[in-house]
Short mmCIF file of all heavy atoms in Angstrom, two decimals:
data_model
loop_
_atom_site.label_atom_id
_atom_site.label_comp_id
_atom_site.label_asym_id
_atom_site.label_seq_id
_atom_site.Cartn_x
_atom_site.Cartn_y
_atom_site.Cartn_z
N ARG A 117 3.75 3.79 -1.02
CA ARG A 117 4.29 4.21 -2.28
C ARG A 117 5.66 3.58 -2.54
O ARG A 117 6.52 3.60 -1.65
CB ARG A 117 4.44 5.73 -2.24
CG ARG A 117 5.03 6.29 -3.47
CD ARG A 117 5.17 7.77 -3.31
NE ARG A 117 5.43 8.36 -4.60
CZ ARG A 117 5.56 9.65 -4.80
NH1 ARG A 117 5.44 10.47 -3.79
NH2 ARG A 117 5.80 10.11 -5.98
N ARG A 162 7.06 6.63 -8.98
CA ARG A 162 7.26 8.03 -9.35
C ARG A 162 8.17 8.63 -8.30
O ARG A 162 7.89 8.53 -7.11
CB ARG A 162 5.93 8.80 -9.37
CG ARG A 162 4.91 8.28 -10.31
CD ARG A 162 4.41 9.29 -11.34
NE ARG A 162 4.75 10.66 -10.97
CZ ARG A 162 5.07 11.58 -11.83
NH1 ARG A 162 5.11 11.31 -13.12
NH2 ARG A 162 5.35 12.79 -11.45
N SER A 207 2.40 21.25 -19.28
CA SER A 207 1.90 19.92 -18.92
C SER A 207 2.50 18.86 -19.82
O SER A 207 2.69 17.72 -19.40
CB SER A 207 0.38 19.89 -18.94
OG SER A 207 -0.09 20.14 -20.24
N ALA A 212 4.52 21.82 -13.61
CA ALA A 212 3.34 22.45 -13.02
C ALA A 212 3.61 23.94 -12.90
O ALA A 212 4.76 24.39 -12.99
CB ALA A 212 3.04 21.85 -11.67
N GLY B 241 -3.54 22.73 -3.70
CA GLY B 241 -3.61 22.42 -5.13
C GLY B 241 -4.96 22.70 -5.74
O GLY B 241 -6.00 22.54 -5.10
N LEU B 242 -4.93 23.10 -6.99
CA LEU B 242 -6.17 23.34 -7.73
C LEU B 242 -5.93 22.91 -9.17
O LEU B 242 -4.98 23.35 -9.80
CB LEU B 242 -6.55 24.83 -7.66
CG LEU B 242 -7.82 25.25 -8.39
CD1 LEU B 242 -9.06 24.61 -7.82
CD2 LEU B 242 -7.97 26.77 -8.33
N THR B 243 -6.81 22.06 -9.68
CA THR B 243 -6.63 21.65 -11.08
C THR B 243 -7.44 22.55 -11.99
O THR B 243 -8.44 23.15 -11.57
CB THR B 243 -7.09 20.19 -11.29
OG1 THR B 243 -8.45 20.08 -10.91
CG2 THR B 243 -6.24 19.23 -10.48
N LEU B 244 -6.97 22.61 -13.18
CA LEU B 244 -7.52 23.54 -14.17
C LEU B 244 -7.90 22.69 -15.37
O LEU B 244 -7.08 21.92 -15.87
CB LEU B 244 -6.38 24.49 -14.56
CG LEU B 244 -6.70 25.82 -15.14
CD1 LEU B 244 -7.30 26.71 -14.07
CD2 LEU B 244 -5.42 26.44 -15.67
N LEU B 276 -1.00 25.84 -6.03
CA LEU B 276 -0.38 25.11 -7.13
C LEU B 276 -1.46 24.78 -8.16
O LEU B 276 -2.45 24.12 -7.84
CB LEU B 276 0.27 23.83 -6.62
CG LEU B 276 1.08 23.02 -7.62
CD1 LEU B 276 2.27 23.81 -8.14
CD2 LEU B 276 1.56 21.71 -6.99
N LEU B 277 -1.26 25.27 -9.39
CA LEU B 277 -2.23 25.01 -10.45
C LEU B 277 -1.70 23.93 -11.36
O LEU B 277 -0.52 23.94 -11.71
CB LEU B 277 -2.42 26.27 -11.30
CG LEU B 277 -3.36 27.34 -10.78
CD1 LEU B 277 -3.55 28.38 -11.86
CD2 LEU B 277 -4.70 26.74 -10.40
N GLN B 278 -2.54 23.03 -11.75
CA GLN B 278 -2.11 21.99 -12.68
C GLN B 278 -3.23 21.75 -13.68
O GLN B 278 -4.37 21.51 -13.29
CB GLN B 278 -1.82 20.71 -11.89
CG GLN B 278 -1.58 19.49 -12.74
CD GLN B 278 -0.18 19.42 -13.27
OE1 GLN B 278 0.78 19.48 -12.52
NE2 GLN B 278 -0.03 19.31 -14.58
N MET B 279 -2.88 21.86 -14.94
CA MET B 279 -3.91 21.62 -15.94
C MET B 279 -4.13 20.14 -16.15
O MET B 279 -3.16 19.36 -16.19
CB MET B 279 -3.50 22.29 -17.26
CG MET B 279 -4.57 22.18 -18.30
SD MET B 279 -4.24 23.28 -19.69
CE MET B 279 -5.21 24.71 -19.24
N VAL B 280 -5.36 19.74 -16.28
CA VAL B 280 -5.68 18.34 -16.52
C VAL B 280 -6.68 18.26 -17.65
O VAL B 280 -7.37 19.23 -17.97
CB VAL B 280 -6.28 17.65 -15.27
CG1 VAL B 280 -5.24 17.57 -14.17
CG2 VAL B 280 -7.52 18.39 -14.79
N SER B 281 -6.78 17.05 -18.24
CA SER B 281 -7.69 16.95 -19.38
C SER B 281 -8.87 16.03 -19.08
O SER B 281 -9.72 15.83 -19.93
CB SER B 281 -6.91 16.46 -20.61
OG SER B 281 -6.29 15.26 -20.30
N GLY B 282 -8.90 15.48 -17.90
CA GLY B 282 -10.03 14.61 -17.55
C GLY B 282 -9.97 14.17 -16.12
O GLY B 282 -8.99 14.41 -15.42
N SER B 283 -11.03 13.50 -15.70
CA SER B 283 -11.14 13.07 -14.30
C SER B 283 -10.05 12.10 -13.92
O SER B 283 -9.48 12.18 -12.83
CB SER B 283 -12.50 12.39 -14.07
OG SER B 283 -13.37 13.24 -13.40
N ASP B 284 -9.74 11.15 -14.82
CA ASP B 284 -8.73 10.14 -14.49
C ASP B 284 -7.39 10.79 -14.24
O ASP B 284 -6.72 10.50 -13.26
CB ASP B 284 -8.59 9.14 -15.65
CG ASP B 284 -9.82 8.24 -15.75
OD1 ASP B 284 -10.66 8.32 -14.83
OD2 ASP B 284 -9.93 7.51 -16.74
N GLN B 285 -7.04 11.71 -15.14
CA GLN B 285 -5.77 12.39 -14.98
C GLN B 285 -5.78 13.24 -13.71
O GLN B 285 -4.78 13.30 -12.98
CB GLN B 285 -5.52 13.28 -16.20
CG GLN B 285 -4.05 13.60 -16.40
CD GLN B 285 -3.85 14.79 -17.31
OE1 GLN B 285 -4.68 15.10 -18.15
NE2 GLN B 285 -2.72 15.47 -17.13
N GLU B 286 -6.91 13.82 -13.43
CA GLU B 286 -7.02 14.66 -12.25
C GLU B 286 -6.81 13.82 -10.98
O GLU B 286 -6.09 14.23 -10.06
CB GLU B 286 -8.40 15.32 -12.22
CG GLU B 286 -8.56 16.29 -11.08
CD GLU B 286 -9.85 17.11 -11.17
OE1 GLU B 286 -10.45 17.17 -12.27
OE2 GLU B 286 -10.26 17.66 -10.14
N ILE B 287 -7.39 12.64 -10.96
CA ILE B 287 -7.23 11.76 -9.80
C ILE B 287 -5.77 11.33 -9.67
O ILE B 287 -5.23 11.27 -8.57
CB ILE B 287 -8.18 10.55 -9.93
CG1 ILE B 287 -9.62 11.03 -9.75
CG2 ILE B 287 -7.84 9.49 -8.92
CD1 ILE B 287 -10.68 10.00 -10.07
N ALA B 288 -5.12 11.06 -10.80
CA ALA B 288 -3.71 10.68 -10.77
C ALA B 288 -2.87 11.82 -10.19
O ALA B 288 -1.94 11.59 -9.43
CB ALA B 288 -3.23 10.31 -12.17
N VAL B 289 -3.22 13.04 -10.55
CA VAL B 289 -2.51 14.20 -10.03
C VAL B 289 -2.68 14.28 -8.51
O VAL B 289 -1.71 14.51 -7.77
CB VAL B 289 -3.02 15.51 -10.68
CG1 VAL B 289 -2.56 16.74 -9.92
CG2 VAL B 289 -2.55 15.58 -12.13
N TYR B 290 -3.88 14.05 -8.04
CA TYR B 290 -4.12 14.08 -6.59
C TYR B 290 -3.27 13.04 -5.89
O TYR B 290 -2.68 13.29 -4.84
CB TYR B 290 -5.60 13.82 -6.29
CG TYR B 290 -6.53 14.94 -6.72
CD1 TYR B 290 -7.83 14.69 -7.12
CD2 TYR B 290 -6.09 16.27 -6.72
CE1 TYR B 290 -8.67 15.71 -7.50
CE2 TYR B 290 -6.94 17.30 -7.10
CZ TYR B 290 -8.24 17.02 -7.50
OH TYR B 290 -9.07 18.03 -7.88
N GLN B 291 -3.20 11.85 -6.46
CA GLN B 291 -2.41 10.78 -5.85
C GLN B 291 -0.96 11.18 -5.72
O GLN B 291 -0.33 11.01 -4.70
CB GLN B 291 -2.53 9.49 -6.68
CG GLN B 291 -3.86 8.78 -6.48
CD GLN B 291 -4.04 7.62 -7.42
OE1 GLN B 291 -3.51 7.64 -8.53
NE2 GLN B 291 -4.82 6.63 -6.99
N ARG B 292 -0.44 11.70 -6.81
CA ARG B 292 0.97 12.10 -6.81
C ARG B 292 1.21 13.23 -5.80
O ARG B 292 2.12 13.18 -4.99
CB ARG B 292 1.41 12.53 -8.20
CG ARG B 292 2.84 12.96 -8.26
CD ARG B 292 3.36 13.03 -9.69
NE ARG B 292 2.50 13.82 -10.55
CZ ARG B 292 2.49 15.14 -10.58
NH1 ARG B 292 3.30 15.82 -9.79
NH2 ARG B 292 1.70 15.80 -11.41
N TRP B 293 0.37 14.25 -5.88
CA TRP B 293 0.49 15.37 -4.94
C TRP B 293 0.52 14.90 -3.50
O TRP B 293 1.32 15.35 -2.69
CB TRP B 293 -0.69 16.32 -5.13
CG TRP B 293 -0.50 17.33 -6.22
CD1 TRP B 293 0.63 17.58 -6.92
CD2 TRP B 293 -1.50 18.25 -6.70
NE1 TRP B 293 0.40 18.60 -7.83
CE2 TRP B 293 -0.90 19.01 -7.71
CE3 TRP B 293 -2.84 18.48 -6.39
CZ2 TRP B 293 -1.58 20.01 -8.41
CZ3 TRP B 293 -3.52 19.47 -7.08
CH2 TRP B 293 -2.90 20.23 -8.08
N TRP B 294 -0.37 13.97 -3.23
CA TRP B 294 -0.52 13.56 -1.83
C TRP B 294 0.64 12.67 -1.38
O TRP B 294 1.16 12.82 -0.29
CB TRP B 294 -1.86 12.88 -1.64
CG TRP B 294 -2.24 12.58 -0.21
CD1 TRP B 294 -2.71 11.40 0.26
CD2 TRP B 294 -2.20 13.48 0.90
NE1 TRP B 294 -2.97 11.51 1.60
CE2 TRP B 294 -2.65 12.76 2.04
CE3 TRP B 294 -1.80 14.81 1.08
CZ2 TRP B 294 -2.75 13.33 3.31
CZ3 TRP B 294 -1.89 15.37 2.35
CH2 TRP B 294 -2.35 14.63 3.44
N SER B 295 1.08 11.75 -2.23
CA SER B 295 2.17 10.88 -1.80
C SER B 295 3.49 11.66 -1.80
O SER B 295 4.40 11.34 -1.04
CB SER B 295 2.23 9.62 -2.66
OG SER B 295 2.38 9.95 -4.00
N ASP B 296 3.56 12.67 -2.60
CA ASP B 296 4.73 13.57 -2.59
C ASP B 296 4.68 14.56 -1.43
O ASP B 296 5.65 15.20 -1.13
CB ASP B 296 4.72 14.46 -3.84
CG ASP B 296 5.50 13.88 -4.96
OD1 ASP B 296 5.99 12.74 -4.81
OD2 ASP B 296 5.64 14.56 -5.99
N ARG B 297 3.49 14.69 -0.89
CA ARG B 297 3.23 15.76 0.06
C ARG B 297 3.54 17.13 -0.59
O ARG B 297 4.00 18.05 0.07
CB ARG B 297 4.05 15.60 1.35
CG ARG B 297 3.69 14.42 2.20
CD ARG B 297 2.26 14.54 2.74
NE ARG B 297 1.88 13.49 3.68
CZ ARG B 297 1.35 12.32 3.35
NH1 ARG B 297 1.13 12.02 2.06
NH2 ARG B 297 0.99 11.46 4.27
N SER B 298 3.29 17.23 -1.88
CA SER B 298 3.48 18.55 -2.53
C SER B 298 2.36 19.49 -2.18
O SER B 298 2.47 20.70 -2.36
CB SER B 298 3.56 18.48 -4.05
OG SER B 298 3.79 17.22 -4.54
N VAL B 299 1.23 18.96 -1.77
CA VAL B 299 0.14 19.82 -1.32
C VAL B 299 -0.37 19.29 0.00
O VAL B 299 -0.21 18.11 0.31
CB VAL B 299 -1.03 19.87 -2.34
CG1 VAL B 299 -0.57 20.33 -3.70
CG2 VAL B 299 -1.71 18.52 -2.43
N VAL B 302 -6.57 20.10 -1.30
CA VAL B 302 -6.99 20.54 -2.64
C VAL B 302 -8.40 21.10 -2.63
O VAL B 302 -9.21 20.80 -1.75
CB VAL B 302 -6.94 19.38 -3.66
CG1 VAL B 302 -5.53 18.87 -3.82
CG2 VAL B 302 -7.88 18.26 -3.27
N LEU B 317 -10.67 11.11 -3.56
CA LEU B 317 -10.06 11.97 -2.54
C LEU B 317 -10.35 11.43 -1.14
O LEU B 317 -9.48 11.45 -0.26
CB LEU B 317 -10.59 13.40 -2.68
CG LEU B 317 -10.02 14.17 -3.87
CD1 LEU B 317 -10.80 15.45 -4.10
CD2 LEU B 317 -8.56 14.50 -3.61
N LEU B 320 -8.12 8.53 -0.53
CA LEU B 320 -6.74 8.95 -0.30
C LEU B 320 -6.56 9.57 1.08
O LEU B 320 -5.49 9.46 1.69
CB LEU B 320 -6.31 9.98 -1.35
CG LEU B 320 -5.95 9.50 -2.74
CD1 LEU B 320 -5.74 10.70 -3.66
CD2 LEU B 320 -4.69 8.65 -2.69
N LEU B 322 -6.81 12.74 1.42
CA LEU B 322 -6.25 14.06 1.13
C LEU B 322 -7.28 15.11 1.56
O LEU B 322 -8.40 15.07 1.06
CB LEU B 322 -5.98 14.17 -0.37
CG LEU B 322 -4.91 15.10 -0.92
CD1 LEU B 322 -5.02 15.18 -2.44
CD2 LEU B 322 -4.92 16.44 -0.32
#
Side-chain angles (χ1 to χ4, degrees):
Chain A
R117 178 181 194 178
R162 301 238 343 146
S207 63
Chain B
L242 179 63
T243 58
L244 202 71
L276 186 63
L277 279 188
Q278 170 82 55
M279 184 166 265
V280 294
S281 56
S283 256
D284 289 352
Q285 202 198 335
E286 185 171 341
I287 290 170
V289 166
Y290 291 149
Q291 284 173 330
R292 179 164 53 78
W293 274 352
W294 189 228
S295 57
D296 267 5
R297 293 296 186 271
S298 343
V299 303
V302 298
L317 285 168
L320 282 173
L322 206 189

